[in-house]
Amino acid sequence: MKPAPFEYHRPESLDAALALLAQHGWDAKLLAGGQSLVPAMNFRLAQPAVLIDLNRVAELDYLRADDGALRVGAMTRQRAAERSPAVARLAPLVAETLPFVAHPQIRNRGTMGGSIAHADPAAEMPAVMLALGARIHLRGPGGTRAVAAEEFFTGLFGTALEPEEILTEVEIAAPAPGTGWAFEEISRRHGDYALAGVAATVALDGDGRCREARIALLSVGAGPVLAAEAAAALVGQTPGEEAVRAAADAAASRDADPPADIHASTAYRRRLVEVLVRRVLPRAFERARASAE
Ligand SMILES: Cc1cc2nc3c(=O)[nH]c(=O)nc-3n(C[C@H](O)[C@H](O)[C@H](O)COP(=O)(O)OP(=O)(O)OC[C@H]3O[C@@H](n4cnc5c(N)ncnc54)[C@H](O)[C@@H]3O)c2cc1C
């Protein structure tokens, strides 16, 4: 199918894009990599009257290491982030996870900002942003605001973005010593959306106990899920088989609220969460111990 007719604009600056959004509001859609929006338009699931193409807004395409943080411009292609030494150093969880996002051809076009703004519950980057405690920067007619990832994702394809706002940047704090991370997912074929996935960051205190844990789940809720019960089972514990098992049980039985669909039942997705948490946490703790030395 072909998309319904639409008016097309290709601004060359963020200010010009914001002015167009202010003019058209709910009638308009931003076009980034087009890897989610264009198929939705072709199926006429999305029928924006106005398309504002961000591909000429060069000021949104950057990767910067700044004050101990990684700053990722919204129009950074997923593939550029995957290959970036700065991402590998300052946000290794992002680097580890990006190869699981679709296929290289799609990552060549798909953007970091587009994936996060789209907020697909089965997408990897929203869960990774939750696990990293990233800050999402938004710009609108009233200026710029930064929203914590856990407040940014609000439900099924829902975000804190207002119709006149553009996601401009993702800010990720560099890992402190004693911090570890890991990502795992299970999909039917590599590159498919995952049946379930788990991203985790953990931090150890001076006695080797878990000081902080952020475990995020994908494909098992209305949006990316920050597994608070699993984290509570870990904090204050010496990471070992018992603590990991308790966290995995909590994630599967209490944090996850998986849908059933043609690909997997609710019970099967819960089981995947349990298995994935048990795979991810030992690797994350091992890295945390190595980085504390
Ligand atoms: C075959 C196939 C397989 C895929 N598999 C996966 C997968 O396994 N995992 C995965 O995570 N993704 C997958 N994707 C989706 C892909 O990662 C997309 O690139 C991504 O979801 C959207 O990024 P985009 O830049 O293409 O955004 P677009 O499609 O251009 O936009 C998506 C939405 O975000 C909005 N938007 C975009 N940029 C901004 C911004 N800066 N501010 C505010 N709103 C904005 C748009 O208006 C639109 O509503 C797949 C896509 C395809 C076609």
Side-chain angles (χ1 to χ4, degrees), residues 21 28-39 51-52 54-55 60 74-78 100-103 106-107 109-120 122-126 138 152 161 165-169 185 191-194:
L21 258 191
K29 271 268 178 210
L30 297 166
L31 175 70
Q35 299 303 297
S36 296
L37 182 57
V38 171
L51 207 57
I52 303 171
L54 295 178
N55 282 278
L60 288 178
M75 286 301 289
T76 304
R77 305 290 167 187
Q78 293 160 339
F100 291 93
V101 175
H103 306 280
I106 290 162
R107 299 198 294 277
R109 292 298 302 166
T111 64
M112 295 295 285
S115 175
I116 293 162
H118 191 52
D120 189 319
E124 288 83 359
M125 282 304 113
L138 313 176
F152 181 74
L161 270 163
E165 284 182 317
I166 295 179
L167 191 164
T168 54
E169 180 183 281
E185 71 174 36
D192 282 1
Y193 280 103

Side-chain angles (χ1 to χ4, degrees), residues 90-105:
L90 295 168
L93 179 62
V94 173
E96 176 161 296
T97 307
L98 274 168
F100 291 93
V101 175
H103 306 280
Q105 294 85 343

Side-chain angles (χ1 to χ4, degrees), residues 110-172:
T111 64
M112 295 295 285
S115 175
I116 293 162
H118 191 52
D120 189 319
E124 288 83 359
M125 282 304 113
V128 164
M129 295 306 139
L130 276 185
L132 288 168
R135 283 159 60 80
I136 317 290
H137 293 252
L138 313 176
R139 185 141 152 218
T144 304
R145 63 188 179 116
V147 182
E150 50 261 56
E151 275 137 42
F152 181 74
F153 299 107
T154 56
L156 192 61
F157 294 97
T159 71
L161 270 163
E162 296 292 341
E164 294 181 1
E165 284 182 317
I166 295 179
L167 191 164
T168 54
E169 180 183 281
V170 178
E171 177 191 345
I172 300 166

Side-chain angles (χ1 to χ4, degrees), residues 252 258-260 264-274:
S265 66
T266 295
Y268 182 62
R269 282 199 162 94
R270 282 195 199 281
R271 175 78 178 130
L272 291 183
V273 168
E274 187 194 333

